[in-house]
Amino acid sequence: MDLTRNSGDSLDVPRGLADEGKLYRRCDPEALTFETTADLEGSVAFAGQDRAAEAVRFGIGMRGSGFNIFALGPDDTDKREIVRHFLEERAGEEPVPEDLCYLNNFQDASRPKAVCLPPGTGRKLLGMMDRFLEELAPALTTVFESEEYQSRIQAETEQTTQEEQEAMEALQQETQEKNLALLRTPGGFVFAPTKDGEPIPPDALAQLSEKDRKKVEADIEAMQEKLKTIFLRLPKAKRELRERIRFLDRDMARTLVKDLLEEVRDAFGDNKDIQEHLDSIEEDVADNLEILKDVGRTGKGQEGEGAPLAGVPVGLGRATGGEAHWPVASEHPILRRYRVNVAVDHGESEHAPVVYLDHPTYQNLAGSVEYQPLQGALVTDFNLIRPGALHRANGGYLLLDAERVLLQPFSWEGLKRALQSRELRIESPGQMMGLMSTVTLEPAPVALDIKLVLLGSRRLFYLLAGLEPDFPELFKVEADFDDRMERTRETEELFAGLIAGAVNREELAPFRKEAVAKVIERSARMAGDSEKLSVRTRSILDLLRESAHWAEQAGADTVGPEHVQEAIDHSIYRAGRLRDRIQEEIERNTIFIDTEGARVGQVNGLSVLQLGNFAFGHPTRITARVRPGRGEVVDIEREVELSGPIHSKGVLILAGFLGGRYARERPLSLSASLVFEQSYSGVEGDSASSAELYALLSALSEIPLKQSIAVTGSVNQHGQIQPVGGINEKVEGFFDVCDRRGPSGEQGVMIPAANVKNLMLRDDVVRSILDGRFHLWPVETVDQGMEILTGRTMGAQEDGGFPEDTVNAAVESRLLALAETMRRFGNGSQETQPHA
């Protein structure tokens, strides 16, 4: 910077930066090729994300293992909607995946079968099986109460009865031929000898000869053996009758079920799994016929003998609720086992699925098995299997918020396991971790074919990449979303299309091109750079909505620049309570800030406070004191643990600068202390390091610094002023203090020259600078800054020294005096030296 000498060792302070184009880069509305956003029918959905868009396209196209996508970047770049746009675009070209159904496993009810069917046929199978269930019990009742069935049962029964009668009649005939009679007594059947058809009394029997008695006894014994044979054959005959009836029942049941299931068999004739399942149903109906007949008669059924329901409902613990009731027969457990659980139905889908899960609990992600109370216990079956997002997105794409997944217990481990095994298993967390031994359902696994996209911050991505061993193998594609884009004529036009797209989607009033230009300028301010545009689309969208609101309040049909400005002003006002309070306390001299005069070892630094989405700057008094010492620059903020590491680093750099300029051939013999006055919270960042150096040089040289000038910028060991953040907020913060007190025409802010490109100042600040009531001085070195603050020449080093009556000479002289003091007091053993 060129500085004009006034006289001798004093300098005139230059006016500073006065180029309006550098203070605020405007967007020329006339350069925009439309009148209102209604003219931009081909508006774009996003802009400035070419790198991320290319990565997403690549990740979607790669079908190899592990080429899942992690979309990283700020949340308000709307990366979820951008990624979803690409996924839906690609999904529209891909086929609809198969339906997923769960069926009862009749061999082991705790391990339900999983069957995949062509899209839309799952509900078809469900409908057919529901009709089958509605017809089954009534049809069984009808069949087994029919005259045909009763006639066949009667015929079988009569046949057995006739055989019994014929055997007894033959026995009776033989008995008569042997002059015996078959008598029924309370103790059972007995044989008695007869004569002329009448039983012989016992006394007459005793009068028979020995030979005749023995013949009678032999005949009676022979007939008893034959009677015993007949009686032993009767239970067998009844068993055979029951077996014939059971065989008849099973045969008729199979015939009936085969007839009822004929439509299902024909519809799914090429599906082996369904055919085998229908065969199992036929056998199971025959096995549980008595229960089914009872269900058909009463609608309830009895779970007793002959009801092999064990394994259908799987119990877990005790229920605290009421009992389960079966309002319709098809809900009875014996019939529920024949139903179809359509877990995933793609009947209405037109392309591959794109699923976003906003609450990724383990159950919502991987699926679950539900339970219901029955007779005091919790029971379940395959009908209570519930799919997760992985099931619904299988064959397509799934979007998840990475942080939400990590916050949910077991979700991350479950997700990794599914991706690594390429299988979907529905397990409880206890099962997955091997912590649960209670019997429950274990549905058959399903093959997983999915493209997963995780959304998260950059910090989270780098933490996972560094600390999670499996992460690099599972997420090989990173889509890095930027928060800003280059600002050129072409990108301004593209950004206008982005604005038009948002206006159309939100159905807002059209924005005139002057309003669009104002939004573009605000976007540059959000980016903190006049050469960039912010693509934090959520913030831009909020601005559009609020602008349209104020236009509506004013009764305007279109949104103009005044409405955009009104939205900006109201937004700042709503969030600016603390900013106004600090300004008020400065004006009331509760917070000490000088804006006139000059002070030794004191300077106005500038800080930025970020409160939510609102940031503002304010001045802070920084002071320095020096005394003899051993070359230490003490940061009081660090000593009391109120400073962060970056701020502490900036302070330590000051000692490097002092040593490099003033102590190349001798040690520094000072002890300096620096402090942010009236600072009661943490201080972080190095943007005040140049201000601290100015205060320190002032304290050493005893040359006062102008309090009408505030300072920001970091410094390196070579005295170069480095750029900092929040430059607009800092300038405006000091301007507001001076404006409230009344501008003197000498006030202003020194900023790093490298920060000029970041300037997008408020209109009132720009007007004050252009009118000469406020100033902005870009500086590149500490020397330039000190000359502006002191009005004196710094002085270049010549022949090992500095010219007299310069700031550097005054500093060097003071350091020599401090060194002499240290020498006289024995290398600094005395710590009672006066402060400067």
Side-chain angles (χ1 to χ4, degrees):
M1 176 182 293
D2 294 331
L3 297 175
T4 305
R5 291 181 180 276
N6 188 17
S7 61
D9 60 354
S10 64
L11 295 171
D12 286 333
V13 177
R15 187 177 179 216
L17 188 64
D19 185 344
E20 182 179 4
K22 293 183 178 180
L23 298 173
Y24 186 90
R25 180 180 169 183
R26 301 189 182 279
C27 173
D28 184 8
E30 298 305 320
L32 300 176
T33 59
F34 58 91
E35 292 301 319
T36 71
T37 53
D39 300 333
L40 297 176
E41 296 180 359
S43 58
V44 297
F46 58 89
Q49 302 292 359
D50 295 341
R51 185 193 307 273
E54 191 278 332
V56 173
R57 289 192 186 98
F58 169 77
I60 294 173
M62 282 296 297
R63 289 299 177 185
S65 175
F67 283 92
N68 297 299
I69 304 169
F70 193 105
L72 60 149
D75 289 335
D76 55 0
T77 54
D78 225 5
K79 57 180 180 288
R80 187 182 82 187
E81 293 305 319
I82 295 174
V83 170
R84 189 164 194 154
H85 169 80
F86 284 113
L87 295 182
E88 290 178 346
E89 184 178 67
R90 180 59 180 263
E93 304 172 358
E94 297 180 352
V96 180
E98 294 180 314
D99 293 346
L100 173 63
C101 300
Y102 285 101
L103 307 174
N104 184 39
N105 184 342
F106 292 97
Q107 283 68 47
D108 185 352
S110 66
R111 298 177 182 273
K113 298 178 179 179
V115 177
C116 293
L117 299 173
T121 57
R123 64 172 65 176
K124 179 180 178 181
L125 176 62
L126 173 63
M128 288 182 171
M129 292 307 296
D130 281 349
R131 288 194 297 273
F132 164 73
L133 293 178
E134 291 173 1
E135 297 171 359
L136 177 60
L140 287 172
T141 302
T142 301
V143 167
F144 289 105
E145 291 180 356
S146 66
E147 291 184 3
E148 178 187 357
Y149 175 75
Q150 297 300 327
S151 298
R152 295 182 65 176
I153 292 296
Q154 184 176 359
E156 293 290 343
T157 305
E158 288 177 351
Q159 179 182 348
T160 301
T161 303
Q162 182 178 355
E163 291 175 354
E164 293 175 0
Q165 290 176 348
E166 290 175 353
M168 291 300 293
E169 288 175 355
L171 179 66
Q172 192 76 328
Q173 180 67 31
E174 187 177 353
T175 299
Q176 292 175 358
E177 292 175 357
K178 293 181 180 296
N179 294 319
L180 295 173
L182 180 63
L183 304 177
R184 185 186 297 270
T185 69
F189 288 99
V190 297
F191 289 96
T194 63
K195 184 178 181 181
D196 298 328
E198 295 294 331
I200 300 176
D203 55 346
L205 182 62
Q207 295 176 4
L208 294 176
S209 64
E210 182 70 21
K211 180 179 179 182
D212 290 338
R213 281 201 310 272
K214 287 184 178 180
K215 181 178 181 304
V216 170
E217 290 174 356
D219 290 342
I220 290 174
E221 185 177 354
M223 295 310 295
Q224 285 177 337
E225 287 297 325
K226 290 184 178 182
L227 179 61
K228 181 180 179 181
T229 301
I230 292 173
F231 281 163
L232 288 176
R233 198 167 61 232
L234 286 177
K236 180 181 179 182
K238 291 184 180 297
R239 286 196 302 271
E240 290 175 352
L241 174 62
R242 287 196 297 269
E243 285 298 323
R244 289 198 302 274
I245 292 175
R246 184 177 294 113
F247 181 80
L248 174 63
D249 288 353
R250 292 176 66 90
D251 185 57
M252 295 189 72
R254 286 196 187 95
T255 302
L256 173 63
V257 173
K258 190 179 295 292
D259 182 61
L260 292 176
L261 292 177
E262 182 178 4
E263 181 186 10
V264 185
R265 287 190 181 277
D266 292 342
F268 296 89
D270 57 347
N271 192 305
K272 180 181 178 182
D273 293 332
I274 298 298
Q275 296 299 322
E276 291 179 352
H277 182 66
L278 297 179
D279 292 340
S280 298
I281 290 178
E282 291 180 11
E283 290 298 320
D284 195 74
V285 168
D287 291 341
N288 295 282
L289 192 54
E290 292 304 317
I291 303 173
L292 289 167
K293 287 193 292 185
D294 194 40
V295 171
R297 287 191 299 270
T298 66
K300 296 179 180 179
Q302 300 297 322
E303 295 185 24
E305 184 179 355
L309 294 178
V312 177
V314 180
L316 181 66
R318 303 296 294 177
T320 57
E323 306 296 338
H325 300 281
W326 317 114
V328 292
S330 62
E331 287 297 319
H332 190 278
I334 196 64
L335 293 178
R336 283 172 59 86
R337 64 201 299 175
Y338 306 135
R339 300 187 68 183
V340 176
N341 181 358
V342 183
V344 180
D345 179 13
H346 289 295
E348 302 295 332
S349 302
E350 298 178 356
H351 50 71
V354 177
V355 177
Y356 172 72
L357 182 63
D358 61 350
H359 186 46
T361 63
Y362 177 78
Q363 291 80 2
N364 290 344
L365 192 62
S368 62
V369 177
E370 296 180 350
Y371 296 84
Q372 60 185 14
L374 176 64
Q375 298 178 355
L378 291 176
V379 299
T380 188
D381 63 14
F382 72 97
N383 291 287
L384 297 178
I385 297 173
R386 300 293 178 255
L390 286 169
H391 295 85
R392 296 194 301 273
N394 198 12
Y397 305 90
L398 176 62
L399 284 86
L400 297 172
D401 185 283
E403 185 174 356
R404 294 180 183 179
V405 172
L406 292 168
L407 288 175
Q408 293 295 332
F410 309 111
S411 291
W412 177 249
E413 290 300 321
L415 184 63
K416 285 198 306 177
R417 182 177 178 181
L419 293 176
Q420 290 168 338
S421 65
R422 303 183 71 83
E423 280 187 342
L424 287 176
R425 293 181 178 272
I426 297 181
E427 300 175 307
S428 68
Q431 283 179 288
M432 186 185 70
M433 302 300 292
L435 303 176
M436 185 176 181
S437 59
T438 304
V439 176
T440 184
L441 295 187
E442 296 181 23
V446 178
L448 179 64
D449 178 19
I450 199 171
K451 180 69 68 173
L452 178 61
V453 181
L454 285 185
L455 308 169
S457 65
R458 292 190 179 96
R459 180 174 180 270
L460 183 58
F461 173 80
Y462 296 128
L463 283 174
L464 287 171
L467 301 177
E468 170 56 78
D470 299 323
F471 183 78
E473 288 301 315
L474 296 176
F475 295 90
K476 297 180 179 180
V477 181
E478 58 183 285
D480 195 348
F481 283 78
D482 206 343
D483 57 354
R484 60 184 191 173
M485 60 186 290
E486 293 293 331
R487 182 182 179 184
T488 63
R489 291 289 187 188
E490 291 75 17
T491 57
E492 285 182 347
E493 191 75 29
L494 183 63
F495 200 83
L498 178 66
I499 294 171
V503 169
N504 293 336
R505 288 193 302 274
E506 295 292 318
E507 298 181 351
L508 305 177
F511 277 57
R512 301 201 301 273
K513 62 181 180 182
E514 294 81 6
V516 172
K518 192 70 175 177
V519 174
I520 291 174
E521 293 167 5
R522 185 61 181 175
S523 174
R525 171 62 187 257
M526 291 177 181
D529 195 324
S530 64
E531 299 175 358
K532 302 288 184 179
L533 292 174
S534 172
V535 289
R536 294 179 178 266
T537 49
R538 293 184 191 173
S539 300
I540 298 296
L541 183 57
D542 288 341
L543 177 59
L544 297 177
R545 290 167 176 158
E546 293 180 31
S547 301
H549 168 77
W550 293 115
E552 182 181 359
Q553 294 296 309
D557 295 331
T558 58
V559 180
E562 67 278 9
H563 304 128
V564 177
Q565 186 60 52
E566 188 172 6
I568 295 170
D569 293 342
H570 278 276
S571 175
I572 293 173
Y573 176 75
R574 291 194 301 270
R577 184 192 63 81
L578 185 57
R579 179 200 63 175
D580 295 343
R581 178 65 60 85
I582 292 175
Q583 294 286 344
E584 178 187 345
E585 296 304 322
I586 292 174
E587 186 177 10
R588 298 174 63 194
N589 288 324
T590 304
I591 298 176
F592 295 159
I593 296 293
D594 292 335
T595 55
E596 295 180 348
R599 300 287 187 274
V600 172
Q602 177 177 306
V603 69
N604 289 324
L606 294 171
S607 303
V608 172
L609 283 178
Q610 181 78 43
L611 302 175
N613 294 325
F614 179 62
F616 65 92
H618 67 92
T620 300
R621 176 178 289 180
I622 300 174
T623 60
R625 303 295 298 275
V626 296
R627 66 180 188 272
R630 298 180 178 178
E632 298 176 344
V633 178
V634 177
D635 177 16
I636 294 179
E637 310 291 334
R638 183 180 64 178
E639 295 298 314
V640 297
E641 298 182 352
L642 281 179
S643 71
I646 298 176
H647 177 261
S648 299
K649 173 187 174 183
V651 173
L652 294 175
I653 287 174
L654 306 185
F657 172 81
L658 293 176
R661 175 168 290 191
Y662 303 111
R664 293 183 179 180
E665 299 179 357
R666 56 183 177 273
L668 284 173
S669 300
L670 85 160
S671 179
S673 60
L674 293 165
V675 68
F676 280 66
E677 303 289 359
Q678 294 182 286
S679 172
Y680 307 107
S681 59
V683 177
E684 180 59 314
D686 64 348
S687 65
S689 58
S690 65
E692 291 171 319
L693 182 55
Y694 296 141
L696 186 56
L697 292 175
S698 172
L700 284 169
S701 65
E702 299 182 328
I703 299 175
L705 302 177
K706 296 176 181 179
Q707 301 301 294
S708 58
I709 301 175
V711 176
T712 186
S714 68
V715 67
N716 61 25
Q717 293 189 107
H718 299 285
Q720 295 173 313
I721 303 299
Q722 302 170 143
V724 294
I727 197 69
N728 295 292
E729 290 81 2
K730 291 175 179 178
V731 172
E732 293 167 358
F734 190 66
F735 171 82
D736 290 338
V737 171
C738 298
D739 190 56
R740 290 173 75 113
R741 289 181 171 179
S744 65
E746 297 180 355
Q747 295 149 339
V749 178
M750 281 196 327
I751 67 171
N755 276 126
V756 171
K757 62 180 176 294
N758 302 112
L759 293 174
M760 287 293 292
L761 297 170
R762 288 194 326 239
D763 285 346
D764 56 340
V765 181
V766 173
R767 288 194 302 271
S768 294
I769 292 174
L770 295 179
D771 293 343
R773 293 182 288 111
F774 195 74
H775 305 279
L776 204 61
W777 293 282
V779 296
E780 297 177 351
T781 64
V782 171
D783 291 351
Q784 293 176 355
M786 279 298 290
E787 289 179 346
I788 293 173
L789 287 169
T790 62
R792 298 180 60 173
T793 304
M794 280 296 289
Q797 191 170 17
E798 299 175 356
D799 300 328
F802 297 99
E804 295 183 2
D805 298 327
T806 62
V807 176
N808 279 329
V811 172
E812 185 178 48
S813 175
R814 181 66 185 282
L815 288 173
L816 289 173
L818 293 173
E820 179 61 23
T821 301
M822 287 292 294
R823 187 186 64 80
R824 286 189 291 107
F825 281 86
N827 295 325
S829 61
Q830 304 296 324
E831 296 293 338
T832 58
Q833 303 307 313
H835 290 72

